[in-house]
Amino acid sequence: MNSSSVENDQNNQNRIQKKRGGSQKRSYVWDWFVSNAGIATCQVEVITGEICDKKYQHGNSTGILIDHLSNKHHITKETTKQNYVVRNKINKL
């Protein structure tokens, strides 16, 4: 086997391993939640300065997480963490 064949074999192995790893977390909710073993925990800092810490079993869907962010924290896809923190600081005054 020559060196280019070895390189091609390694590239193919890398592609196969990436596909097996599952989907990437691309939703904006993962800016606000952490996931461990199918349980998503809300990391939004509420006005009291504490972390929300609400837990949801999410499987492959983020719908319930989006509902939580929207209904409980008024966070949408367009909300950035920086803007949210500033808004909370103003509300505390």
Side-chain angles (χ1 to χ4, degrees), residues 25-93:
K25 288 183 166 66
R26 292 177 286 192
S27 175
Y28 75 95
V29 300
W30 301 116
D31 292 338
W32 305 94
F33 281 87
V34 293
S35 178
N36 186 13
I39 304 293
T41 306
C42 182
Q43 299 297 298
V44 173
E45 184 181 332
V46 292
I47 291 177
T48 62
E50 297 174 11
I51 300 296
C52 174
D53 208 38
K54 178 75 174 168
K55 293 176 180 11
Y56 292 96
Q57 194 167 7
H58 65 87
N60 292 327
S61 174
T62 56
I64 194 166
L65 308 180
I66 291 169
D67 289 346
H68 173 79
L69 289 175
S70 176
N71 296 331
K72 300 296 181 190
H73 303 297
H74 307 290
I75 293 173
T76 63
K77 189 174 187 174
E78 290 77 29
T79 307
T80 64
K81 278 192 170 187
Q82 182 178 5
N83 288 344
Y84 184 80
V85 170
V86 168
R87 184 174 75 200
N88 272 353
K89 300 285 185 210
I90 290 172
N91 287 338
K92 286 182 186 179
L93 298 177

